[in-house]
């Protein structure tokens, strides 16, 4: 039997981080479609993130991307966020948009470019110091497009050296979240293509290095919840970048492509008692709202994670364990599906009402007038996007 | 026994079309890295294409992209090309970079936008009239990102209507090449995802509509040479967009990722006696040289197609047929592999020498000083790219 | 607004066909694990199918596989089925288990073997005549394992000839369901790898040839509901072979791997008003219950299709069309997801109760004692499997 | 400049292991096609393996599969092999064909079955002791078919326990080769799905545990040579199971599907100076010759590995390093492709002639009369296959 009040407590204390860049313009290599109301500054991005938190109650932090969110005074930015009710989350480094990085950043064959890239990582730790951020999220676009273009193994040596230097600069309460990605923008080989590569580097670095799973970064057919379960067992799961995909790194709203997969992922989290923020996993969104309105899309994404979590919490774990140990394949599957097939929207409406929130976050946002206001106030000036 | 002189004649008369946009800047959604010497105008792109033809002898036409290559006087552009020794090839339409096209072009739910998009297609036929181009190449980025976003079937009706109107505008010697693509930039469903969809529309349209196979537009595991063989049998193969890919639509140099696959594709062409330009298939490149120098990359790509073709021509078809009919699996495979394992570079060097060309096209280009000259002459001004 | 009583009527009249072979033993190339109670004859398979119908009310027909279900007197078999409350559904041909078929059946390079295979197809129409079956389901394992092994195009010619001869033998009320499959057991090229190939052959054959979609037979990333929508538009969708897969043709219980995909497929059916049996689509299961108990697995599968159908019927199509036409991406997606997120199990329990059935079919089966009885009664003798 | 005599020495001392089961019957779940002349005993399999070595000169060891190759006197079997000129290679364990293993072997929820499976692994070490074999190759079919069927994490605990017990039983000169596989026969989750899982277990076990890469066991798009390079860097690459695939674990002849990939893999081996048998990597074949004659298929496979190796040895590593360090993408790729495009068959013919072998191993085998002899001598009795 599931304890519903415990489920509601878990849901009430859940924390999902939204990324500053989700509020800016994004697109594909074919076209970036601009949207009205898009932020023009880090502050406006944070204001949008705070709005998402206001209506969902479970998005208390916002991730920054350096240099996209570079400011002169990070202390002021931090206070600005806090005044709006949110905190600064992970600091993301960007070592892929400078002309120097055409052939790589920390794995570039040119030692001068490697130095520049590594310095950027060290600078980002400075931003963490200034903002109180715990997490340095490292995603490298590094890789090669053609067989022979560079030496696969030497690039690992270069990567290891940069990671070591960065790791050694971390403060006691800081840590690295090391992301992997199968392909894009490098098309033949990326330098951290899979969780195994990230994991091996993390183990070599030390306990403050953990793996970040971006749900869109795998080969077709990869069982992501297995990776979740395995990394939890090894105590090396640090974070998620949530999004969803049908083909490649589509960066659609999490839960939009395969809600059952999201449920299975969250079940492994629940099963390991790793949902509570105190466990230390950062549950982040990393999405591109290319054609849909951004703030309600982020709200909807947060709700999708909540719904998957609620279903995972509703799994009757005693019944499941009994069926599993008995080797009753159909019954074990049925116990899991019972939870998945439950409509948890009424339960989440209650959780929101208990927290003094509108039970319908998207509706509340639409009724609030915020969207109209930002479209008016932000009509002038350069909109934020991936390049700024 | 293979008739070597016939092989050399076939190779000497081969024709590969290069695209104007391959000479401009390109990149990924993460970054476009500019390169020195990149063209600033359609004329400069044509000059680069003519240079590729100069050193390879088998790239006599250049495809244009409208509006990227829009000019006031297409007659003058055509004469400019001819003066440089090349002709205008396919006209490519671009209905994906206007803000109106965020939710689609000819399949957009808004009839006004559909009208605008279809008019663009009709205009492109006007460009064909002015340039003497035979082929209208249609690739639509149309599709949807989320289940439910639009009605899959109504979008087919809209697509069919736009294609019909366009088809009916074609002159007697003009035709449609209808491209398909599994995904990108639409991430849940594209309106022409596979060859079957393109084929069914072509059959409905009439004999002047044929399928264009882009070698990078398939799901993992798709057997492309089967599609080639099947469309040849149905008399509906109109063109190739050649490139290579490891994962998605990587648009790398053709032959760089899987040269054996390229050989198998060219074998089906040879086996159907469809290599000669008189057969009517347009063998085009469609690539992005994001990090490598563009002109030598195009030359190398043309050579890769030549090498695959030469190997395909060397297949001992009598021996192959004998082994196939006998059900001798190993021997039939061995006959094919014998041709593939042959080093055809000396043969192609001879073909080039016979045509009065340098046997080493890349080396000849490098020694020519062309690259240094364009880097100097094109230092100022706005470089061409996908957006211009 | 959805009309609930209409939804219930649709659900009550739904028909799902189960296959005789699902009740026999099956496995992988590594091992077939036998199960107690498995049928030893076509009659016992039909009895099991009738049991599934007894508890679900929506599985009134059973598909046969020839020669696995060969009997001397098909009239008697048909009456046997009718006495148990079910009818004979599609006749499946098996031209892959005779030693002659090592290199193919109707596409074999040996004309004698092609003759034998085609004769088997013609014989199967005789079984249809005797059983009153409407549908001849054709799946060919034909293909090649190695490049060069056989001629891709000649195999199409052979295939077309065999299909033509078979088609011409069909009675007025009979039809061909032509299945496609990407790979397995042929590993390099299959002769009908995708829906496009099947569709093109069907169009050439005539109106009595339609495509059968096996949901496990696609390349990774294929959008199956697009194919459903497209074939419905072309009036060429004849049947489904339902099952689910994570990787290849896993043949797991339908709805077990991606219930959201199943819902999207059923939505296209509902949207085209093609659910009712009178429309003519055969909704069949084609699954392997390798490790789970077979009869309850089939019941569970039937229920999964029912649940996906119920959700599809609950989609508010007016609201969806309004949002789609307005280009409101988030709202259109939300309308679809509202239906998907609904717990339809209470609704289906009502539908069953209205039909005089136990609202819990799996539970009712378990309580019935049928399983224990067949395990006792079928303890001796040779169990049915793929080979018999 | 490449030193040709060094290349020839490397090729002459190369060692490729063939598996006893490649000589027996194999097939798919649809059908096993028997072939004339197939061995009926471990001794006859070894005789066939010795024949492959006789004509290639580079296949000096044969892997056994327990219990398929179970004999009473392993010492006698070892001497029998030595008399024929070959040695016993890796011992493969089979814990997937007993009815007990339906839900897993070492990860089964039933502790009694886990005990039985682990005992089988320990017994296999006894076979190693008796045969002088160095390598215990562990592939587990363990996994689950349905979400919820069993607990992903507990299965890892069970796996770790069995591996630990097995590892601790190893002699000083013995080691574990731990294989991974994405799917099949388990269809939802396998217990060692990828190299990362295998690697993590090996690191926990100790230095005598290394990863075995089966080239057919990856998700689509996986860059296998990256894994090779990475594991070499971590000093954890123990073995290859070579075969080739277009889609899943097709187990076709190595080099038949993507010879360029095989070359890239062998280049990473050569680049790490890991080709020589003294380095310790076991280069094994693991293939199914379902439709082609088995012994010449194995010979052809050995030759394919030789050809890929020869090309890898011919890479001008100085020129490659120079181009890589200069960031010359096209030149670096061209250096690699120069080696790949070389026809190495004459070079290998020389290597064979130098070793006193026929330069054409397949032809020599065909002329030898061995095939006719085994077809006559082995006409009676039960042929060996996967089940015996």
């Amino acid at each position: 039997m599931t304890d519903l009040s415990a489920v509601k407590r878990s849901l009430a204390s859940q924390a999902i981080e939204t990324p500053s860049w989700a509020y800016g313009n994004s697109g594909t290599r074919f076209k970036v479609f601009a949207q009205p109301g898009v932020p023009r500054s880090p502050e406006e991005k944070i204001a949008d993130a705070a709005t998402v938190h206001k209506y969902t109650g479970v998005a208390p932090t916002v991730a920054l991307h350096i240099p996209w969110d570079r400011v002169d005074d990070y202390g002021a930015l931090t206070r600005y966020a806090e005044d709006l009710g949110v905190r600064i989350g992970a600091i993301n480094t960007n070592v892929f948009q400078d002309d120097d990085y055409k052939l790589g950043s920390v794995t570039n064959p040119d030692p001068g470019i490697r130095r520049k890239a590594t310095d950027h990582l060290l600078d980002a730790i400075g931003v963490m110091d200034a903002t109180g951020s715990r997490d340095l999220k490292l995603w490298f676009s590094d890789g090669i497009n053609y067989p022979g273009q560079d030496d696969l193994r030497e690039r690992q040596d270069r990567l290891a050296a940069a990671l070591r230097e960065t790791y050694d600069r971390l403060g006691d309460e800081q840590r690295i979240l090391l992301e992997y990605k199968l392909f894009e923008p490098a098309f033949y080989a990326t330098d951290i293509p899979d969780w195994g590569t990230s994991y091996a580097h993390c183990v070599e670095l030390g306990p403050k290095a953990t793996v970040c799973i971006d749900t869109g970064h795998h080969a077709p057919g990869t069982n992501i919840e297995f990776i979740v379960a395995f990394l939890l067992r090894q105590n090396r799961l640090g974070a998620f970048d949530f999004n969803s995909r049908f083909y490649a790194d589509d960066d659609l709203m999490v839960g939009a492509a395969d809600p059952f997969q999201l449920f299975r992922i969250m079940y492994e989290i629940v099963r390991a008692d790793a949902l509570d923020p105190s466990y230390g996993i950062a549950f982040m969104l990393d999405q591109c709202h290319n054609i849909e309105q951004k703030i309600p899309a982020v709200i909807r994404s947060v709700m999708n994670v909540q719904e998957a979590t609620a279903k995972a919490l509703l799994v009757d774990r005693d019944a499941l364990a009994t069926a599993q140990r008995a080797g009753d394949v159909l019954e074990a599957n049925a116990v899991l599906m019972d939870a998945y097939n439950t409509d948890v929207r009424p339960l989440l409406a209650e959780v929101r009402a208990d927290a003094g929130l509108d039970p319908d976050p998207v509706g509340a946002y639409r009724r609030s007038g915020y969207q109209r206001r930002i479209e008016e106030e932000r009509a002038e000036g350069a909109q934020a996007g991936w390049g700024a």
Side-chain angles (χ1 to χ4, degrees), chain A residues 37-55:
Chain A
V38 156
R40 299 157 301 174
S41 66
E43 287 79 5
E44 289 181 351
K45 295 181 204 172
I46 289 173
D48 288 358
T51 302
V52 169
H53 184 49
K54 177 177 175 186
Y55 292 105

Side-chain angles (χ1 to χ4, degrees), chain A residues 176-195:
Chain A
I176 282 177
L177 308 175
L178 188 57
E179 199 165 336
Y180 59 91
K181 186 174 186 184
L182 180 69
F183 84 102
E184 196 212 20
F187 290 126
Y188 162 57
T190 60
D191 292 320
I192 311 181
D194 53 20
W195 77 265

Side-chain angles (χ1 to χ4, degrees), chain A residues 23 27 45 61 92 122 196 210 217 251 279 290 337:
Chain A
Y23 304 101
K45 295 181 204 172
T61 55
N92 289 260
L122 301 177
T210 58
H217 287 191
D251 280 333
Y279 187 92
N290 297 344
M337 297 311 291

Side-chain angles (χ1 to χ4, degrees), chain A residues 99-385:
Chain A
D99 280 332
D100 277 344
Y101 299 141
K102 187 167 81 164
L103 302 181
S105 64
V106 296
T107 65
N108 198 298
D110 180 333
I113 295 173
R114 296 202 295 273
R115 183 68 260 151
K116 170 178 170 174
T118 307
D119 284 343
H120 177 76
L121 307 187
L122 301 177
D123 286 350
I125 302 179
V127 176
M128 294 166 71
D129 295 339
T131 55
S133 173
R134 176 190 61 179
D135 294 334
L136 179 68
K137 182 140 69 77
L138 300 179
W139 172 66
F140 299 103
S141 74
D142 293 38
I144 61 180
N145 276 9
Y146 290 102
Q149 177 187 326
D150 200 359
D151 190 85
L152 292 174
R153 185 160 164 175
E154 280 185 22
R155 290 177 79 93
Q156 290 300 315
D157 295 336
R158 299 170 197 154
L159 172 64
L163 289 174
R164 167 56 56 203
E165 189 175 345
T166 306
Y167 186 91
D168 289 346
R169 164 72 178 78
L170 290 174
D172 287 346
E173 304 302 316
Q174 294 172 335
R175 59 179 189 166
I176 282 177
L177 308 175
L178 188 57
E179 199 165 336
Y180 59 91
K181 186 174 186 184
L182 180 69
F183 84 102
E184 196 212 20
F187 290 126
Y188 162 57
T190 60
D191 292 320
I192 311 181
D194 53 20
W195 77 265
T197 309
S198 178
Y199 171 80
H201 279 289
C202 285
V203 168
E204 285 182 9
L205 287 171
K208 290 186 288 187
T210 58
V211 179
C212 174
I213 298 177
D214 184 305
T215 50
H217 287 191
H218 302 85
T222 302
N223 184 325
I224 299 177
E225 60 268 28
F226 175 89
I227 301 173
V228 172
F230 195 87
L231 287 174
L232 284 166
R233 183 179 183 273
Q234 306 297 109
N235 212 21
R236 288 284 177 176
L237 177 57
F240 284 96
D241 266 4
F242 278 130
N243 50 60
S244 69
R245 57 82 74 97
F246 288 94
Y247 306 98
D249 187 30
D250 306 345
D251 280 333
L252 301 174
M253 296 188 297
V254 59
D258 189 349
F260 183 42
Q261 182 191 60
L262 181 60
F263 161 74
R264 300 192 310 261
I265 290 170
M266 292 313 300
Y267 174 71
E268 293 303 325
I269 295 294
V270 166
R271 182 242 175 272
D273 297 320
L275 181 65
D276 196 80
S278 65
Y279 187 92
I281 294 176
F283 297 91
M284 306 183 287
L285 303 185
D286 180 16
Q287 306 181 155
C288 293
H289 307 297
N290 297 344
I291 60 168
E292 68 272 21
Q293 220 176 40
K294 294 166 196 299
I295 295 172
V298 177
I299 293 174
R300 180 68 250 175
S301 303
V302 168
M303 292 170 68
N304 285 349
V305 176
Q306 286 184 292
E307 291 172 21
T309 307
K311 293 180 178 194
L313 287 163
L314 289 178
V315 172
D316 184 337
R317 290 172 60 183
D318 290 340
L320 183 62
T322 301
Q324 288 174 341
R325 279 173 204 147
D328 188 338
V329 176
L330 287 171
E331 180 61 19
N333 177 248
V335 170
L336 196 79
M337 297 311 291
D338 267 349
Y340 179 67
N341 285 325
T342 303
D343 188 343
V344 295
R345 292 174 299 174
L347 175 67
L348 282 161
E350 282 180 46
V351 170
R352 288 182 195 113
D354 290 351
L357 297 169
D358 192 304
D360 171 14
V362 172
Y365 172 74
R366 292 209 188 282
R367 288 186 296 271
S368 73
Y370 186 88
Q371 184 70 32
R372 194 182 56 246
R373 196 160 63 247
I374 58 176
E375 293 189 12
E376 289 168 6
E377 291 176 2
R378 300 174 183 173
E380 311 278 305
Q383 294 186 323

